[in-house]
Amino acid sequence: PYTYSDASGFAARNITNDTGTWTVVQDGGISGAKWGKVSWNETSPTGASVVVSVRSHDDPGALGLGSQAFAPVPNGGNFNAMGRYIQVQARLNANVQSQSPTLFDVSVASKVCDLDGDGDVDRNDISAIAAAAKTNMSVAFADPRDADSDRIVTVRDVRACTLQCTRPQCATN
């Protein structure tokens, strides 16, 4: 906090904790891209922390992406966000001894295999992925049919998604 009575900077040096922010925007390549996971590697001294949050929208401008609130996400955990662009913000908070955490890397992944967005992977999803795999369809980066993110839907993607089926024998609800 800044006050006129603190011209020496005592409060800034002795009361507040150091905080730094790193922000990046990832383009999913298609409108309505389904984002689902952010993972990162860090080391944090006791009392320090790294908090990662995301927001997404199809419009990268101030009235689109910039107007959305950031939502915290768990490291490596699943979440649901949709939009061509995803903005990831990492806030690094030092402890009271001014020891800062170190953020080594951050990776962003699209949500794959759940094509109809109903929260599960079933025979309906697998059938649609298999149809695209018959032609080795080229797709954009965040296409949910591309489980291995190589931008081509192949039988490898069908197999990877089949292994993610949420019901026995990939049954539909």
Side-chain angles (χ1 to χ4, degrees), residues 5 24 33 53 64 70 90 102 124 133 150:
S5 63
V24 67
S53 301
F70 279 101
T102 302
N124 294 337
D150 66 355

Side-chain angles (χ1 to χ4, degrees), residues 31-72:
S31 293
K34 296 176 185 177
W35 301 98
K37 187 177 287 192
V38 176
S39 302
W40 62 91
N41 292 306
E42 65 168 282
T43 59
S44 294
T46 302
S49 65
V50 175
V51 177
V52 176
S53 301
V54 300
R55 61 184 179 184
S56 62
H57 201 277
D58 283 332
D59 176 7
L63 298 177
L65 189 61
S67 69
Q68 303 299 305
F70 279 101

Side-chain angles (χ1 to χ4, degrees), residues 3 7 26 29 44 50 56 64 70-71 73 75 90 97 112 116 122 126 147 157 161-162 165 168-169 172:
T3 65
Q26 173 75 46
S44 294
V50 175
S56 62
F70 279 101
V73 295
N75 188 358
Q97 293 84 22
V112 295
D116 53 15
D122 57 25
I126 302 303
D157 299 307
C161 289
T162 300
C165 282
Q169 299 174 341
T172 58

Side-chain angles (χ1 to χ4, degrees), residues 113-134:
C113 303
D114 181 15
L115 301 186
D116 53 15
D118 63 357
D120 65 5
V121 178
D122 57 25
R123 193 172 299 126
N124 294 337
D125 301 308
I126 302 303
S127 295
I129 296 165
K134 286 181 182 178

Side-chain angles (χ1 to χ4, degrees), residues 4 6 39 84-85 90 99 120 129 135 144 149 169 171:
Y4 288 105
D6 188 25
S39 302
R84 176 173 177 163
Y85 301 93
Q99 297 169 322
D120 65 5
I129 296 165
T135 62
S149 299
Q169 299 174 341

Side-chain angles (χ1 to χ4, degrees), residues 127-171:
S127 295
I129 296 165
K134 286 181 182 178
T135 62
N136 288 333
M137 180 186 282
S138 294
V139 294
F141 165 71
D143 193 295
R145 296 171 290 190
D146 186 19
D148 61 7
S149 299
D150 66 355
R151 298 188 181 189
I152 301 171
V153 182
T154 65
V155 294
R156 288 189 313 267
D157 299 307
V158 176
R159 179 66 181 146
C161 289
T162 300
L163 293 173
Q164 291 188 36
C165 282
T166 53
R167 293 189 180 89
Q169 299 174 341
C170 228

